[in-house]
Amino acid sequence: MGSSDVAILGVGMHPWGKWGRNFVEYGVKAARDALDDAGLAWTDVQFVAGGATIRNGYPGQVPAATFAQALGWSGAQVASSYGACATGAQAINTARTQILAGLCDVALVVGADTTPKGFFAPQGGERFDDPDWLRFRLLGATNPIYFGLYARRRMEAYGATELDFARARVKNGRHGLANPNARYKKAFTVEDVLASPMVSDPLRLLEICATSDGGAALVLSSMEFARRHTTDPARIAAVSTVTPEFPQTVIEMPNFSTDSAAGAQVPDTPFKDSIAKRAYEQAGLGPEDMNLAEVYDLSSALELDWYENIGLCKPGEAERLLNDGDTTIGGRIPVNPSGGLSCFGEAIPAQAIAQVCELTWQIRGQAEGRQVEGARAGVTANQGLFGHGSSVIVRR
Amino acid sequence: MSPQKSKKPAIEGWFDMDEKAPRLVGTRCAECSTVYFPAEKVFCRNPHCASSDLPEVRLSTRGRLWSFTNNCYPPPPPYVSPDPFEPYTVAAVELEAEKMVVLGQVAGAGVEDLEAGMEMELTLDTLFEDDENEYVMWKWRPAAA
């Protein structure tokens, strides 16, 4: 057992959907389910880490205290985190480090969101100093514009085809069919995907993740506390929250340009490769030790990039991995057995936490209808706007 | 388009408002030569450089197309969409001297006209207009031979 492991005693989720209710309700449901799963009472929780979203209607509600109040003020210590799509990993890491520092035994991590319909949009007003506002104003650069740039680049660099991208979507659709927390439980064919309207060429409507309401929670504890309550729990062996290294030479949301490499050496490891790499280093494990992965498939094509970024194959080999069935449940290294963002849509502060819930169910053998046989270790990968990496390794 | 409308940059100070010779306005670190666009005026962001001497520079006007895509649906505000909405194309162009990629909408070409690696050049074009003004942005277009 690694000295930096913490135990995952409980996991819980509120199903993803477009429920239109207050996010607190989703977070509380997820938290109560996680506490039940852990066999602990809310009042046993000493520390609450909440994942924040700054958009979508509730600035002023700070998540950790908001959830603590909804569960009933108990005097727990709290901390709220924000890292865009990587928010959940930041919250997990805050709780984990409190436990590893010996400052608490039991921590609750909660993230939940309520999203508007359509494209994510920046804050209102005239915000000429805000790159996120400016990219919409000056370029019309929505999130799918960036996804489209990456997808086209993959086609140009590696000969990926629209058919490959559609197959990734079809694979995830099948994976999510039996997942009770997934929003979309429908099996699409390649023809369905390719017949859906073009959004940002070459990506079509069915290949771009939706925005969803949902919530996810974890109850974490020290290994010592866990040994008194359970046997052989799933453990968090690593959390990576790295930033890029300068110069970051791949265009990233919400930027107008990459860093210039005219004055500094390009780093050996590109940002997206460095995210899981740091987690592997922490855990003393490598991609070859993983039995499954949950990656941030904001688009079908982006899922293929992640195969390479998390070391499942070499650059340019992701299409082969997909088409050989390696990343399908039953294959060598199933990716997104939950159905991924394809089937969930994005509930930003909950998403990195939901990835850990899925790995936990898989590793416990409780992922009914989507179980990866013999799963003992898995990795998550995710990336948040403004330079937030996110990767968590869960293992027995 | 009414001829009386005056032309204004969609954002002040990011490019020269010269339709015959448009240039992007950035900065270059006097110490390490890193180029910044949009301009970084205060501190060099190279972690190995402590310089705050960042004189203004004009960026190259030609580069190679790194990737491209389009938007087939009206984006939310603050983008100002014409009615009816017109899909637009966005290009990522790699500038050799600056060793960086700069985004821009594409003027006068759609995804079907583009191919990665082709040479693109900077141009100015209307982004949107209101009753008084025409707001101008830099855009990329396939380079003239």
Side-chain angles (χ1 to χ4, degrees):
Chain A
M1 182 185 75
S3 61
S4 61
D5 287 358
V6 298
I8 303 170
L9 291 186
V11 294
M13 282 167 68
H14 184 289
W16 264 231
K18 210 71 180 175
W19 313 114
R21 299 196 299 271
N22 192 298
F23 76 103
V24 180
E25 186 179 326
Y26 316 142
V28 168
K29 195 267 183 198
R32 289 199 167 136
D33 283 6
L35 287 163
D36 284 350
D37 188 41
L40 293 174
W42 155 239
T43 46
D44 295 328
V45 172
Q46 298 156 317
F47 186 88
V48 183
T53 176
I54 59 164
R55 292 182 216 287
N56 308 326
Y58 46 90
Q61 289 205 42
V62 183
T66 298
F67 292 128
Q69 182 183 29
L71 288 157
W73 292 131
S74 65
Q77 302 214 66
V78 296
S80 295
S81 305
Y82 180 67
C85 294
T87 292
Q90 306 247 327
I92 292 167
N93 209 29
T94 303
R96 166 186 180 245
T97 49
Q98 286 279 327
I99 292 166
L100 292 176
L103 297 173
C104 71
D105 288 320
V106 180
L108 173 69
V109 183
V110 192
D113 208 356
T114 302
T115 53
K117 193 172 163 12
F119 288 113
F120 278 125
Q123 301 279 21
E126 296 264 310
R127 298 161 58 87
F128 280 92
D129 289 332
D130 174 356
D132 199 34
W133 188 89
L134 283 170
R135 62 152 167 151
F136 279 86
R137 174 69 151 212
L138 300 178
L139 298 174
T142 58
N143 293 4
I145 285 279
Y146 291 85
F147 309 156
L149 290 173
Y150 301 142
R152 172 64 57 183
R153 184 69 196 164
R154 221 184 141 81
M155 295 170 87
E156 301 288 348
Y158 303 131
T161 65
E162 291 186 46
L163 190 58
D164 293 321
F165 301 156
R167 283 176 181 142
R169 174 64 183 88
V170 168
K171 186 262 298 171
N172 285 347
R174 290 200 187 120
H175 283 179
L177 277 179
N179 191 335
N181 291 307
R183 173 174 170 194
Y184 302 106
K185 285 174 273 230
K186 186 164 188 284
F188 292 103
T189 63
V190 161
E191 291 73 26
D192 295 332
V193 176
L194 293 177
S196 69
M198 193 68 86
V199 175
S200 284
D201 190 286
L203 297 172
R204 295 168 184 279
L205 190 61
L206 283 175
E207 298 179 293
I208 291 171
C209 103
T211 65
S212 292
D213 297 3
L218 306 172
V219 175
L220 304 180
S221 82
S222 64
M223 290 306 298
E224 195 187 341
F225 182 94
R227 271 190 289 276
R228 297 199 297 269
H229 284 79
T230 185
T231 53
D232 202 16
R235 296 179 263 150
I236 290 179
V239 181
S240 160
T241 59
V242 292
T243 68
E245 288 176 75
F246 186 90
Q248 157 58 316
T249 57
V250 177
I251 189 77
E252 293 283 357
M253 286 194 287
N255 299 337
F256 283 76
S257 63
T258 62
D259 289 336
S260 151
Q265 185 104 29
V266 175
D268 293 338
T269 308
F271 178 42
K272 283 188 67 184
D273 290 355
S274 74
I275 296 172
K277 184 168 180 269
R278 182 67 66 88
Y280 291 135
E281 285 165 4
Q282 272 180 32
L285 298 170
E288 65 284 359
D289 300 310
M290 299 295 114
N291 308 119
L292 74 159
E294 283 279 314
V295 302
Y296 220 54
D297 57 322
L298 291 163
S299 83
S300 55
L302 207 62
E303 167 157 326
L304 296 167
D305 288 344
W306 281 119
Y307 294 0
E308 298 160 6
N309 300 140
I310 67 171
L312 302 186
C313 62
K314 294 197 182 83
E317 292 181 352
E319 286 73 20
R320 202 190 55 186
L321 210 65
L322 171 76
N323 292 326
D324 286 353
D326 286 12
T327 58
T328 303
I329 294 172
R332 181 172 68 79
I333 173 84
V335 177
N336 285 336
S338 70
L341 294 179
S342 297
C343 297
F344 277 74
E346 207 182 1
I348 292 174
Q351 219 64 48
I353 302 169
Q355 290 182 323
V356 173
C357 291
E358 177 65 13
L359 291 189
T360 305
W361 280 315
Q362 291 285 352
I363 282 166
R364 289 172 175 174
Q366 295 173 334
E368 204 180 328
R370 58 183 196 286
Q371 182 63 47
V372 175
E373 291 308 322
R376 292 194 60 81
V379 61
T380 75
N382 160 315
Q383 181 186 353
L385 208 68
F386 312 114
H388 291 99
S390 156
S391 177
V392 179
I393 290 174
V394 179
R395 65 167 171 177
R396 262 270 149 80
Chain B
M1 195 180 306
S2 144
Q4 315 80 308
K5 285 189 186 180
S6 54
K7 292 193 176 191
K8 287 195 163 180
I11 184 156
E12 292 286 345
W14 286 31
F15 56 92
D16 292 331
M17 272 291 280
D18 179 345
E19 293 195 30
K20 293 205 179 71
R23 299 293 292 262
L24 297 175
V25 179
T27 51
R28 180 189 284 122
C29 175
E31 195 83 19
C32 77
S33 303
T34 295
V35 179
Y36 293 98
F37 179 80
E40 169 60 64
K41 294 174 181 167
V42 188
F43 298 110
C44 182
R45 296 202 296 261
N46 178 348
H48 307 294
C49 180
S51 171
S52 52
D53 184 8
L54 295 150
E56 204 170 87
V57 287
R58 263 60 184 170
L59 272 59
S60 304
T61 56
R62 288 193 175 211
R64 298 273 163 201
L65 186 57
W66 183 81
S67 190
F68 56 93
T69 184
N70 62 3
N71 189 12
C72 306
Y73 287 89
Y79 190 74
V80 184
S81 293
D83 184 20
F85 171 71
E86 288 166 29
Y88 52 86
T89 300
V90 172
V93 174
E94 202 164 9
L95 307 181
E96 197 181 352
E98 293 81 1
K99 296 189 181 175
M100 69 193 296
V101 168
V102 177
L103 298 183
Q105 285 196 356
V106 176
V111 286
E112 61 287 350
D113 306 312
L114 301 176
E115 205 176 318
M118 71 194 282
E119 193 170 25
M120 304 292 282
E121 66 182 1
L122 200 72
T123 186
L124 297 184
D125 191 21
T126 303
L127 181 66
F128 65 94
E129 44 192 294
D130 60 21
D131 292 342
E132 293 91 44
N133 300 307
E134 196 182 314
Y135 295 88
V136 173
M137 246 310 266
W138 84 80
K139 293 190 184 180
W140 296 109
R141 69 177 177 203

